Amino acid sequence: MTTASAPTASVAPAPSPAPGPATAPAEAIVRPRPVPHPALRVFLLHHAAGSHLAYTDWVTHFPDDWEVCLFEAPGRGRVAPLPPLRTAADLAAFLIEAASGLLDVPFVLFGHSMGGLVAYEAAAQLRTRGLPQPRWLGVSACEAPYDAIPGEGVGGEVLHRMPADRLRATLRAMGGIPETVLADDDIWSLFEARVRADFSVVETWEPRAVASEIRPPLSLFGGEDDPVVHRDALLEWADGAEEYVGQRFFPGGHFYFEGQAKTVVEQLVQDIRTGVTDMG
């Protein structure tokens, strides 16, 4: 990953111990277009340092009888008062609780970057708890979680421990965060804690003690020129899939879907219809 230069700064202090999972309100699931008696619910899980807003331009491209549900992790949007969570397991538990009233119809999970890891955890937890299972799993721009903690930050530094100036420069190079957030000290101060917590979710990942095979049909999505998650690291997800639908690469980097939501969603819908064989 190439980063912009940044002034030297002191090393950020270690984060305080992670809180346990917050009680998840239904408001953590944003439904921009409620659908009475939907044929399918599509849960979209956002990236680290992001929010449900990453997917707002996706909604109109899904079939009219599919309900799109946008997950909002604690510490932002309508759940801003809740403390951000620091592990994929806690975020998955939060998602399941928030969505508990929406699992009464067939549903699928799609996650980008951090969201992919949380979607994987959620599928595993649903199975362990004997709850309804996702009918398909889509993972985008996320390293496979089977054998090791996903990649570190620049020069061996994990992002959630980087000094603030270097972290901001690294995030600017990655993309996906508005420049207004990164350039303004006052605005950045409102975002920094949740940004560090989100990257802690990914960078402190430890594989499950017992391998968790992916039971739902799996599709993989990525950018052809992603400098953050390389093709081979993404494709390793297929090793744990009972049913592999395939991989889909698009022009662009880590946030390849920016500016081509219609194309990406059309492929998403096609893969869901392939994986969920009784959708017709």
Side-chain angles (χ1 to χ4, degrees):
M1 186 193 318
T2 303
T3 64
S5 59
T8 302
S10 58
V11 175
S16 57
T23 299
E27 287 78 14
I29 306 296
V30 179
R31 294 189 288 165
R33 188 191 65 186
V35 177
H37 312 295
L40 185 76
R41 285 196 172 103
V42 182
F43 290 89
L44 304 179
L45 284 61
H46 61 75
H47 58 280
S51 74
H52 82 278
L53 296 175
Y55 297 117
T56 52
D57 59 345
W58 291 35
V59 177
T60 59
H61 302 301
F62 284 96
D64 290 342
D65 61 347
W66 293 15
E67 185 172 72
V68 181
C69 301
L70 311 180
F71 176 55
E72 192 86 285
R76 67 214 82 199
R78 296 189 295 183
V79 287
L82 298 179
L85 300 175
R86 295 182 177 275
T87 72
D90 283 352
L91 268 178
F94 184 90
L95 165 65
I96 291 169
E97 183 179 351
S100 60
L102 300 172
L103 306 182
D104 57 333
V105 300
F107 66 94
V108 299
L109 302 174
F110 174 90
H112 177 71
S113 199
M114 177 189 78
L117 191 59
V118 176
Y120 165 78
E121 271 286 346
Q125 288 189 25
L126 286 165
R127 187 171 76 249
T128 299
R129 299 186 196 184
L131 295 173
Q133 301 293 294
R135 307 290 291 278
W136 174 88
L137 177 65
V139 173
S140 169
C142 180
E143 293 188 30
Y146 308 130
D147 300 321
I149 296 173
E152 294 182 337
V154 178
E157 278 188 292
V158 291
L159 274 70
H160 76 279
R161 296 288 300 276
M162 272 188 178
D165 288 342
R166 192 148 66 246
L167 175 59
R168 288 159 80 173
T170 301
L171 295 176
R172 182 176 287 112
M174 289 173 61
I177 298 180
E179 179 61 25
T180 51
V181 173
L182 297 172
D184 187 288
D185 289 344
D186 292 333
I187 297 177
W188 168 252
S189 68
L190 300 175
F191 281 80
E192 184 175 3
R194 94 174 192 206
V195 169
R196 292 188 184 279
D198 284 358
F199 281 107
S200 177
V201 168
V202 179
E203 293 171 337
T204 62
W205 165 260
E206 294 183 1
R208 290 171 166 269
V210 178
S212 177
E213 295 86 0
I214 298 172
R215 303 290 174 82
L218 172 71
S219 293
L220 300 173
F221 295 76
E224 293 173 351
D225 300 308
D226 188 345
V228 180
V229 178
H230 297 289
R231 179 183 293 256
D232 290 347
L234 175 65
L235 294 181
E236 286 177 3
W237 279 91
D239 294 342
E242 289 193 354
E243 181 179 344
Y244 184 48
V245 178
Q247 67 265 16
R248 319 299 176 196
F249 287 92
F250 300 85
H254 194 59
F255 295 95
Y256 62 87
F257 51 80
E258 292 180 342
Q260 52 181 342
K262 183 176 186 293
T263 301
V264 173
V265 172
E266 285 176 349
Q267 183 63 65
L268 207 78
V269 170
Q270 181 179 322
D271 275 29
I272 291 170
R273 292 193 186 280
T274 299
V276 186
T277 54
D278 58 356
M279 284 294 298

